[in-house]
Amino acid sequence: MSTKESEVMDISETNLTKNIEKAHEILKQFRPNYYLSAIEKQPKLSKEGQIENMDEFIALKKKAPVSSSCSTPVERLAALAPRIVSTILEVIDAMSGTLAEKEALFAVYVEQTKEVEAVETALLNRVYTHFLKEYEDQVLAGSIRSSEGLMDL
């Protein structure tokens, strides 16, 4: 392997690591246990890899009051919960990847039946890569804000 090929591989691996960390941070920032418990609905993943009750979350998102109109932290959480949950679920629903990849992300993030460490590293890396690509595509399209501004929804 030439020095140039080695440098390209190092850059690719560094970018992959950064993307995986970024996707993990987005999901970690918005742990569903807080938000799902606030809206008392559970998403369901179909055998085709789609979220079966996505329409319910989108409807809740549209009905949610603007968080800036809330005066207490609890009111803000109640206003933000449907928006945050719906946004993350929309990304999961729309992301490319296999059913196994979506099931792994769903088990780790939504259902929390598996710890991240329990999922095969290569599978988790693919999941995070697909998630981040879809997330960034939606940010660029204006469908959602970046993770830094998502709390301001």
Side-chain angles (χ1 to χ4, degrees), residues 1-56:
M1 181 182 315
S2 71
T3 305
K4 190 172 187 170
E5 288 174 338
S6 176
E7 287 174 8
V8 169
M9 285 184 63
D10 288 344
I11 291 169
S12 298
E13 288 174 19
T14 302
N15 287 341
L16 177 63
T17 301
K18 286 180 183 178
N19 287 342
I20 291 165
E21 288 172 1
K22 186 175 179 180
H24 180 68
E25 284 304 311
I26 291 167
L27 292 168
K28 184 178 166 189
Q29 182 179 7
F30 304 112
R31 293 303 301 172
N33 51 337
Y34 301 117
Y35 301 106
L36 287 172
S37 65
I39 60 176
E40 299 176 351
K41 290 211 179 284
Q42 289 295 318
K44 298 174 188 112
L45 188 66
S46 74
K47 295 295 180 194
E48 293 78 39
Q50 302 302 303
I51 297 177
E52 292 176 358
N53 53 343
M54 191 70 236
D55 292 343
E56 293 177 45

Side-chain angles (χ1 to χ4, degrees), residues 42-99:
Q42 289 295 318
K44 298 174 188 112
L45 188 66
S46 74
K47 295 295 180 194
E48 293 78 39
Q50 302 302 303
I51 297 177
E52 292 176 358
N53 53 343
M54 191 70 236
D55 292 343
E56 293 177 45
F57 289 97
I58 292 171
L60 288 170
K61 179 180 178 179
K62 289 178 180 178
K63 287 185 212 174
V66 178
S67 63
S68 60
S69 67
C70 303
S71 58
T72 68
V74 173
E75 289 174 336
R76 278 193 286 281
L77 175 62
L80 286 173
R83 292 169 186 236
I84 291 170
V85 168
S86 179
T87 298
I88 296 294
L89 292 176
E90 286 175 272
V91 171
I92 293 170
D93 190 57
M95 73 182 221
S96 62
T98 65
L99 178 59

